[in-house]
Amino acid sequence: MTSQVVNLPVTASLPIDCDFWVEDNGWKGLCKTLSVTVHGSSFEDAKKNMATELQVHIERIVREHSNRSARRVA
C-alpha cells in the first residue's frame, strides 16, 4: 500500500497576553509582545478585533519566515 500526502490548513490556538482598557469612545487593546493595538466599541468587540489582528500578524510572520527559508534553499 502506498501512502498519500494530505495537505490542509490547521488552525492552532495560541494564548497571548493582551491588555484592554476603556477610553472615551470605546475599548482599546494592546499586545505588547507583538506591538498590536486595536479599538472596539465594546470589550467583546475589542477582544474579537485583537484575535483577528493577531491572526493576521502571525500569518504574516510565518509567511515572511517561509519566504526567507525558501530563498536560502534556492
Side-chain angles (χ1 to χ4, degrees):
M1 179 175 173
T2 61
S3 63
Q4 295 182 3
V5 174
V6 177
N7 185 306
L8 64 135
V10 175
T11 302
S13 177
L14 177 67
I16 300 174
D17 289 333
C18 302
D19 297 329
F20 294 89
W21 64 94
V22 177
E23 283 204 347
D24 297 333
N25 56 349
W27 282 78
K28 291 275 275 210
L30 170 64
C31 173
K32 294 175 187 174
T33 307
L34 297 174
S35 298
V36 174
T37 59
V38 297
H39 179 266
S41 57
S42 66
F43 172 74
E44 291 79 14
D45 189 40
K47 186 178 174 191
K48 177 183 66 73
N49 292 344
M50 180 61 77
T52 300
E53 288 303 313
L54 287 174
Q55 181 73 29
V56 167
H57 188 77
I58 291 168
E59 286 175 358
R60 185 179 316 119
I61 290 170
V62 169
R63 206 170 30 253
E64 288 172 1
H65 178 74
S66 295
N67 289 342
R68 277 190 232 126
S69 295
R71 282 192 297 253
R72 274 188 249 142
V73 171

